[in-house]
Structures are given as structure tokens and as C-alpha cells.
């Protein structure tokens, strides 16, 4: 038996509940960013000049109080912190869940009946794998649009032109559609779970309303991100 | 009715068990699930085989002793305890899989019997009110709002059967722990120890090796007493509040 060296309070601040709160807060920071990112993406429909000058404007936020691009770097540090906190708590909780369920999760019963439980959603049992897909996508996405290391369809200084070039290629669009749908499902359960974890679920009625809110926000965010690439890929917008 | 049973047989905690097939030809649909197991055990005893071990006590759905996973669902297809489940919930000729609660913190003792003493230790870590004993106080000495009394009572109906753990994909016992936190946290008698209670019980919950809650809701769907999922949200809020206040 392990010897207790931590005070009860210190132990509680490392508990599954505290880890889950860390996951919820870091997740909500990323969702807030996603909403702003989505809003920015939709400026694509204002045309090449205005879209590119909007992106250039982002570098001048709070200039000259911050250096050129300073605000974006602060944002990147905050987001990197959120990703690390989110992934750390996910791995720690996943390992605990594995041990608690005899290393088999929901598949620990021999019965082949009711494998998917009584009421749990597709979004909830794909959360962990969905998260890994999203993480891989983020790496790809940063190499693609942020760093410009990858430039399918041709290199260009204009982000507007880079979007048109990329999403004119069917497999690039497909990769983005898959990733955005994964984000949508992740948010569908994740948002509800974050609010409930932070204590917002106070009644059966509130549980229903929080779930409706999570579904609506997930659809809005996924939809908002899907519109520009699909407009380019299907309707040839911008070319 | 005819029933094909597949039952988990395990001699002791050390030996791995396996699913064993049995057939019952003359099951009445008015039998409870446990009575059906009694019939199986009688026939096993007659033929000189070891009867299937399972926990049971009141058989009225109020003690929390019984509980097996039936066809992958804790307590089976109806929202009730295994003893209050009747064979009319199944069809003639059905194959029924019967397994023990499975959790790293509920080791199998024998067949369908698991050791749930981890629950006792969670209660010991704070699931009580330290009150001096003596004559009962007047019923109206401590006023409790009706709404709080009702919600506290809803949470207090938890019988500690462990179905929440058996149903949870993460093997979490949060619904059980949260029911007690909600029960005592809503009542004036529970206030003095509210912070130390939630810290102690969550620490013990984790020390027992139970998983964390991901708000999936399988626990509350399986709970024979219908303990609502929002008790867990209340526990989280109490714990985060206790940590912020620096108490406990």
C-alpha cells in the first residue's frame, strides 16, 4: 500500500475532479479561440484584398504597445499552454480509466449485447481518438497555413490565394472536412462535459439545455469552418 | 419459458473465470431474476455441481446487496435492482449473459460476487455527519427548505449497489460519491464538514483506483434509484470551492 505523503487538500488538487476541471478550462479557452478563428475565416468571402489586409491587421493588434506580431505570439503561448494542459489531463485520466476498468473500458464485459451502453452518444465514446485526430490535424494545419512549410497547389504570399490553391485539391479539402467533423463531434460532448465539470449542471432540465447548447455551438463552429473550403472545392469560389 | 444462460464462473480471486452455458427449461415469467438463479442452483446442487455464488439480501430493492450485469447492462434491461427484475422482461428462448460488476476496485470474490468494500472506505472518508448523540431533537428545531429536503432525499436513496461503477466506461464511482456529497451538502447538519467531506471522499475515491467522470451518463441510466447526473456537477463545484477556500 502506498504511503500517503500529501495533505488531503494537496491530494484533492491532483484528483480526477481537479484534472477534469483543468481539461474543461483549457478546452473552453480553445473553444473561445475557435470562435474568433471561425469569424476570421468567414472574412474570406469579402475578397482577396480585404481578407489579406485583415490578416495583416492581426499582426498590428496593440501596436506600438506590443511589438509587430506581439499579440499573436501571446495568443500562441496561451494556446500552446492550453493544448499541453488539455493533453496532459486527457492522458492522466485515460490511464486511470484503463486501470479502473480492467484495461478494457466499456468493452470489459464478455456479453456481445448492448456493447454501446444504454444511452451514450457517438460523440462521447469517440472523444479520446477524436482528440488524437485533432492533435495531428493541428500540427498539419500549422505547417500548412501558419508556417507555410506545406503549400499544396502552389506557394504564394497571399493567404487568400493559399486557401484557393489548397482547397482546389480534393484530398486537401477531404482532410480538412474530416478534421473539422472530428472537431464538431469533440465539441458536441466536450462542451457539455466542460460545463458539467465546472458545476453548471444543476438540474435535469439544465442537463438537457446544456446538451442543446453544446450541440448548437458544435454545429455552428463546424459549419462555420466548413463553408470556406467547401465553397472553394465545390463552387470554385475565388478562382 | 426456456432460457439459455451464460454465467460467469470463477472459483476464487486468483483463478481467471469463464462464461459457462446452462439451460433452464421451465422458467416462469413471474419469477424474479434471482429466483431464476435459485432454480438454476437447485438443479446444479442436485446434479452435484457447485452452485453459482451471487450476493442478495432483502430482495425488495432497498438493500443494495444484489446486482449483476445482465446482457451487458448493470441490473439488466429494466431500471431497477436485479432482485426486482422479473423474467417477463425476457422472451422465451432468450440467451442471457450474466456477469459480475467489473472494475479494478471491485475484485471478484467468487462467480458473481464482488468485493465492494471500497465503497465503505469512501463513506468512512467523510460520508457522515459528526453529531453528538442523545435524545432526538424536535423535528422543527432546524428548518430545511422543502426543495432542499426533497433533493437531499433523492440523493439519499442511493443503496450503494455499485451499478454506476459497473456501467461507467471509465469505471468511475463519482455518482455514488456525489450522491452522499449532495445528500449531506444540502442539509444544514452537513455544512460544518462540507469542505473536508468532499476533499476526503474524492481523495479516497481516487485512492481506491476508480476512474474519473467524463459526464457520459451511463451511471444514472443504470441507477436503480435514479440518482441524477447533476449530483456529480454539485460534487465538482463543492470540491473546486473547497480548494479555492483553502479549507479541509
Amino acid at each position: 500500500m502506498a504511503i500517503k505523503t500529501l495533505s488531503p487538500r494537496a491530494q484533492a488538487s491532483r484528483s480526477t475532479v481537479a484534472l477534469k476541471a483543468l481539461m474543461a478550462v483549457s478546452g473552453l479557452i480553445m473553444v473561445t479561440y475557435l470562435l474568433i478563428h471561425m469569424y476570421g475565416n468567414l472574412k474570406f468571402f469579402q475578397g482577396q484584398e480585404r481578407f489579406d489586409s485583415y490578416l495583416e491587421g492581426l499582426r498590428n493588434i496593440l501596436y506600438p504597445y506590443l511589438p509587430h506580431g506581439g499579440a499573436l505570439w501571446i495568443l500562441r503561448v496561451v494556446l500552446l499552454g492550453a493544448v499541453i494542459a488539455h493533453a496532459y489531463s486527457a492522458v492522466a485520466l485515460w490511464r486511470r480509466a484503463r486501470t479502473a476498468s480492467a484495461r478494457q473500458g466499456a468493452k470489459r464485459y464478455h456479453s456481445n449485447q448492448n456493447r454501446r451502453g444504454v444511452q451514450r452518444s457517438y460523440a462521447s465514446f469517440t472523444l479520446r481518438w477524436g482528440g488524437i485526430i485533432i492533435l495531428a490535424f493541428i500540427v498539419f494545419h500549422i505547417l500548412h497555413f501558419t508556417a507555410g512549410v506545406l503549400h499544396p497547389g502552389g506557394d504564394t504570399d497571399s493567404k487568400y490565394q493559399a486557401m484557393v490553391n489548397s482547397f482546389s485539391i480534393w484530398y486537401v479539402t477531404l482532410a480538412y472536412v474530416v478534421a473539422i467533423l472530428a472537431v464538431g463531434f469533440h465539441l458536441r460532448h466536450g462542451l457539455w462535459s466542460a460545463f458539467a465539470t465546472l458545476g453548471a449542471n444543476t438540474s435535469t432540465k439544465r442537463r438537457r439545455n446544456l446538451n442543446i447548447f453544446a450541440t448548437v455551438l458544435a454545429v455552428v463552429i463546424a459549419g462555420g469552418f466548413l463553408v470556406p473550403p467547401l465553397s472553394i472545392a465545390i463552387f470554385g469560389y475565388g478562382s | 419459458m426456456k432460457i439459455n444462460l451464460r454465467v460467469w464462473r470463477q472459483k476464487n480471486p486468483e483463478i481467471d473465470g469463464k462464461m459457462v452455458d446452462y439451460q433452464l427449461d421451465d422458467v416462469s415469467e413471474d419469477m424474479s431474476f434471482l429466483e431464476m438463479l435459485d432454480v438454476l442452483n437447485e438443479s446444479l446442487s442436485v446434479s452435484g455441481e457447485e452452485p453459482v455464488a451471487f450476493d442478495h439480501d432483502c430482495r425488495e430493492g432497498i438493500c443494495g446487496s444484489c446486482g449483476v450485469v445482465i446482457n451487458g447492462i448493470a441490473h439488466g434491461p429494466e431500471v431497477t435492482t436485479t432482485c426486482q427484475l422479473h423474467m417477463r422482461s425476457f422472451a422465451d428462448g432468450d440467451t442471457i449473459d450474466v456477469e459480475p460488476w467489473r472494475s479494478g476496485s471491485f475484485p471478484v470474490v467468487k462467480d458473481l460476487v464482488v468485493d465492494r468494500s471500497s465503497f465503505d472506505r469512501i463513506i468512512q472518508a467523510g460520508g457522515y455527519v459528526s453529531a453528538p448523540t442523545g435524545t432526538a431533537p424536535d423535528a422543527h428545531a432546524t428548518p430545511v427548505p422543502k426543495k432542499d429536503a426533497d433533493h437531499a432525499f433523492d440523493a439519499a436513496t442511493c443503496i450503494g449497489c455499485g451499478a454506476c461503477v459497473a456501467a461507467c466506461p471509465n469505471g468511475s464511482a463519482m455518482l455514488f460519491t456525489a450522491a452522499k456529497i449532495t445528500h449531506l451538502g444540502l442539509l444544514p447538519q452537513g455544512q460544518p464538514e462540507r469542505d473536508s467531506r468532499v476533499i476526503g471522499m474524492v481523495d479516497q475515491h481516487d485512492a481506491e483506483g476508480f476512474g474519473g467522470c467524463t459526464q457520459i451518463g451511463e451511471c444514472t441510466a443504470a441507477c436503480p434509484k435514479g440518482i441524477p447526473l447533476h449530483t456529480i456537477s454539485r460534487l465538482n463545484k463543492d470540491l473546486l470551492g473547497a480548494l479555492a477556500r483553502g479549507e479541509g
Side-chain angles (χ1 to χ4, degrees):
Chain A
M1 199 176 151
I3 299 161
K4 278 188 192 170
T5 50
L6 293 170
S7 74
R9 227 179 82 76
Q11 216 180 323
S13 64
R14 290 162 177 75
S15 63
T16 50
V17 177
L19 278 172
K20 197 62 203 315
L22 177 68
M23 179 180 274
V25 171
S26 57
L28 290 176
I29 290 172
M30 291 190 277
V31 172
T32 309
Y33 168 73
L34 275 188
L35 277 171
I36 300 167
H37 187 343
M38 181 193 85
Y39 170 77
N41 281 14
L42 292 175
K43 284 185 178 289
F44 173 81
F45 293 104
Q46 291 185 323
Q48 181 160 13
E49 202 177 315
R50 292 183 67 179
F51 184 64
D52 284 341
S53 69
Y54 153 75
L55 289 175
E56 194 48 42
L58 290 180
R59 285 167 214 291
N60 296 324
I61 293 171
L62 287 178
Y63 184 82
Y65 305 104
L66 292 173
H68 190 70
L72 284 188
W73 274 107
I74 292 172
L75 180 70
R76 282 166 190 158
V77 170
V78 170
L79 284 175
L80 184 66
V83 170
I84 292 170
H86 207 70
Y88 167 75
S89 47
V91 171
L93 288 168
W94 174 75
R95 288 179 57 156
R96 280 197 65 93
R98 293 277 291 172
T99 317
S101 58
R103 304 199 187 287
Q104 289 159 59
K107 294 194 183 79
R108 60 192 187 271
Y109 295 105
H110 286 254
S111 180
N112 289 319
Q113 304 184 57
N114 301 298
R115 274 279 186 223
R116 288 185 177 178
V118 182
Q119 51 87 58
R120 67 210 169 97
S121 58
Y122 179 79
S124 73
F125 64 77
T126 54
L127 210 69
R128 290 176 184 132
W129 280 110
I132 291 170
I133 291 174
I134 293 167
L135 187 64
F137 167 72
I138 291 172
V139 173
F140 165 69
H141 183 57
I142 289 172
L143 291 175
H144 183 192
F145 281 120
T146 313
V149 177
L150 303 170
H151 30 73
D155 198 4
T156 164
D157 284 338
S158 160
K159 295 288 181 197
Y160 182 93
Q161 197 56 48
M163 276 175 77
V164 173
N165 291 350
S166 299
F167 295 128
S168 300
I169 303 167
W170 69 269
Y171 55 83
V172 177
T173 306
L174 182 69
Y176 271 81
V177 168
V178 169
I180 290 165
L181 289 179
V183 170
F185 280 113
H186 201 78
L187 292 185
R188 160 56 212 110
H189 186 78
L191 273 167
W192 135 256
S193 184
F195 292 129
T197 298
L198 296 176
N201 180 21
T202 52
S203 65
T204 308
K205 192 178 165 201
R206 181 66 79 84
R207 180 183 174 189
R208 189 174 65 240
N209 289 342
L210 283 176
N211 268 302
I212 292 170
F213 177 72
T215 309
V216 169
L217 201 55
V219 168
V220 166
I221 290 180
F225 275 107
L226 282 174
V227 170
L230 290 182
S231 303
I232 296 166
I234 298 172
F235 303 112
Y237 194 94
S239 55
Chain B
M1 54 200 286
K2 263 191 179 178
I3 295 291
N4 300 306
L5 280 173
R6 289 175 68 228
V7 184
W8 181 259
R9 301 304 308 261
Q10 183 173 343
K11 273 207 171 82
N12 60 50
E14 283 77 39
I15 302 172
D16 202 19
K18 62 174 193 292
M19 300 296 279
V20 177
D21 292 326
Y22 298 104
Q23 202 178 11
L24 289 177
D25 293 329
D26 194 19
V27 174
S28 157
E29 60 182 19
D30 294 327
M31 283 178 182
S32 76
F33 198 84
L34 297 187
E35 283 165 345
M36 182 273 294
L37 289 180
D38 290 338
V39 170
L40 168 69
N41 278 347
E42 275 176 23
S43 68
L44 288 176
S45 296
V46 167
S47 61
E49 288 178 63
E50 182 86 358
V52 177
F54 62 90
D55 260 334
H56 62 102
D57 190 18
C58 74
R59 299 209 178 192
E60 291 177 351
I62 54 170
C63 77
S65 293
C66 70
V68 288
V69 172
I70 302 163
N71 292 341
I73 301 177
H75 287 307
E78 309 283 340
V79 181
T80 186
T81 53
T82 305
C83 62
Q84 291 294 301
L85 173 69
H86 290 85
M87 295 311 293
R88 53 181 162 270
S89 299
F90 300 92
D92 190 23
D94 267 5
T95 298
I96 305 176
D97 301 321
V98 191
E99 296 173 73
W101 290 166
R102 286 194 198 283
S103 153
S105 310
F106 285 170
V108 174
V109 176
K110 185 180 182 182
D111 296 338
L112 304 173
V113 178
V114 297
D115 178 357
R116 283 171 288 189
S117 52
S118 48
F119 268 18
D120 298 337
R121 291 188 291 273
I122 291 176
I123 294 295
Q124 282 165 4
Y128 48 78
V129 169
S130 304
T133 53
T135 52
D138 288 338
H140 62 316
T142 313
V144 180
K146 172 88 169 93
K147 211 175 117 213
D148 289 352
D150 286 350
H151 286 156
F153 190 78
D154 285 346
T157 56
C158 171
I159 51 177
C161 64
C164 44
V165 176
C168 178
N170 303 309
S172 177
M174 271 304 158
L175 195 70
F176 167 78
T177 312
K180 194 51 65 190
I181 295 293
T182 302
H183 163 205
L184 299 176
L186 279 170
L187 297 175
Q189 293 87 344
Q191 297 313 310
E193 292 161 305
R194 189 166 164 183
D195 285 352
S196 60
R197 175 181 308 117
V198 70
I199 287 177
M201 289 181 76
V202 167
D203 283 354
Q204 193 60 38
H205 170 278
D206 285 6
E208 294 295 343
F210 290 107
C213 173
T214 53
Q215 303 288 349
I216 283 175
E218 286 294 302
C219 52
T220 187
C223 178
K225 297 294 156 183
I227 306 289
L229 194 60
H230 55 79
T231 56
I232 297 181
S233 213
R234 171 174 270 277
L235 174 145
N236 290 2
K237 202 170 161 187
D238 270 15
L239 183 81
L240 298 175
L243 289 174
R245 280 188 291 275
E247 305 285 331

